[in-house]
Amino acid sequence: MLNKHEIVYNFKQPDITDQIVVNEKISALKPKVIYHCAVDNAEDVAKDLNWQVNADGTCNVAEAAKKVGAKMVYISTDYVFDGTNEGEYEVDAPTNPRNEYGKAKLAGEKAIQETLADYYIIRTSWVFGKYGKNFVYTMLRLAKDHDKLTVVNDQFGRPTWTRTLAEFMTYLVDHDQPFGTYQLSNENSCSWYEFATEILKDKDVKVAPVDSSAYPAKAYRPRHSVMSLKKAESTGFEIVDWQTALGEFMDTL
């Protein structure tokens, strides 16, 4: 799918935090579109790196994109919200990040908005897919060695398959959708407990719900970070529900 795009370049973290290197690379490549997906969720030890990558690094890429006239696609997070809303967060809802990752990603959003006119910011949540660590792999790994697992049932959101997210990223560009901020996850919402239950429904392990107080976390986790998908749906992009996405992903394992 990405082959139809003329230039795809993957920045590693040391590059993106160096403005000179970023300018040199982008000026040499002169891409028409830059997909910026860098993330680094950290609160303490890597707090500085989190800001360097997600805030300063994003600003570097945005400025370089402006110089060559490139469009920019930036992946942000539901953590820009505080998770206290009982309903869905609309795209234009007030932001109020409560942890360092959310604060840095929001700073990245603002840097893009202040620098570029041709950009797509895509907020997403609860991402799972083939590469890297994610909740699906964690549950499958734990199920191998445990007869019973306890999973929090008082935090709610929307799972997102990386394939769905990648397809939406390129869909916006290929179909010349209006620039701005979007929110994209798979349809339907759930708790982490419900997500885990679906993941392990065919495994010989019992999944029990538990209050999040049983698992104190160093970083603040939004209690209810369900984001509205109305704007994404208005583009004509078809979004499958997370159960279907999970099933298709599990079939590939």
Side-chain angles (χ1 to χ4, degrees):
M1 179 175 60
L2 292 177
N3 290 335
K4 69 175 68 174
H5 295 268
E6 295 185 17
I7 298 176
V8 177
Y9 190 83
N10 181 30
F11 283 106
K12 296 181 179 179
Q13 286 184 358
D15 291 331
I16 201 173
T17 61
D18 188 325
Q19 185 175 26
I20 295 176
V21 171
V22 172
N23 285 334
E24 289 178 347
K25 292 292 184 180
I26 292 181
S27 294
L29 290 168
K30 292 182 175 58
K32 292 185 177 180
V33 182
I34 298 173
Y35 293 90
H36 177 39
C37 310
V39 297
D40 188 20
N41 193 352
E43 294 297 309
D44 290 331
V45 177
K47 179 178 178 180
D48 290 342
L49 180 59
N50 169 49
W51 277 88
Q52 290 169 12
V53 171
N54 291 313
D56 299 339
T58 298
C59 184
N60 291 340
V61 176
E63 291 178 351
K66 184 177 182 179
K67 291 180 179 179
V68 298
K71 300 174 184 177
M72 186 168 173
V73 183
Y74 174 66
I75 300 303
S76 189
T77 173
D78 59 325
Y79 281 17
V80 300
F81 300 115
D82 58 20
T84 61
N85 187 10
E86 293 299 330
E88 297 181 351
Y89 281 98
E90 299 296 338
V91 171
D92 58 355
T95 53
N96 184 32
R98 295 277 300 276
N99 60 30
E100 292 300 317
Y101 178 60
K103 292 175 183 177
K105 295 299 285 186
L106 181 59
E109 287 189 14
K110 291 180 178 178
I112 292 171
Q113 293 166 342
E114 292 170 358
T115 305
L116 297 170
D118 297 352
Y119 67 83
Y120 297 107
I121 293 172
I122 306 174
R123 295 173 182 149
T124 192
S125 61
W126 296 23
V127 178
F128 68 91
K130 181 177 180 180
Y131 301 103
K133 298 179 181 179
N134 60 70
F135 187 71
V136 175
Y137 285 157
T138 298
M139 290 298 101
L140 292 175
R141 174 175 54 81
L142 291 174
K144 292 180 180 179
D145 303 318
H146 297 78
D147 296 325
K148 178 180 178 180
L149 296 175
T150 55
V151 183
V152 296
N153 69 337
D154 58 355
Q155 294 177 10
F156 300 86
R158 293 187 190 274
T160 309
W161 187 16
T162 51
R163 177 174 176 176
T164 304
L165 178 58
E167 289 177 346
F168 183 64
M169 291 167 66
T170 55
Y171 179 91
L172 289 176
V173 175
D174 293 343
H175 292 79
D176 294 319
Q177 292 301 308
F179 295 114
T181 301
Y182 293 80
Q183 295 176 161
L184 190 283
S185 292
N186 288 103
E187 286 282 6
N188 296 341
S189 60
C190 63
S191 67
W192 287 112
Y193 162 72
E194 291 170 322
F195 193 14
T197 299
E198 186 69 16
I199 294 168
L200 301 175
K201 65 180 181 180
D202 296 325
K203 304 296 181 182
D204 188 20
V205 59
K206 180 180 179 180
V207 183
V210 66
D211 189 274
S212 57
S213 61
Y215 293 101
K218 183 179 297 183
Y220 173 84
R221 304 296 187 209
R223 182 183 62 82
H224 193 272
S225 60
V226 179
M227 296 186 294
S228 170
L229 307 180
K230 292 178 184 176
K231 188 173 180 180
E233 292 171 331
S234 71
T235 68
F237 181 76
E238 183 177 352
I239 307 174
V240 301
D241 60 69
W242 69 263
Q243 295 93 331
T244 299
L246 176 64
E248 292 184 16
F249 171 64
M250 296 285 279
D251 287 341
T252 69
L253 300 181

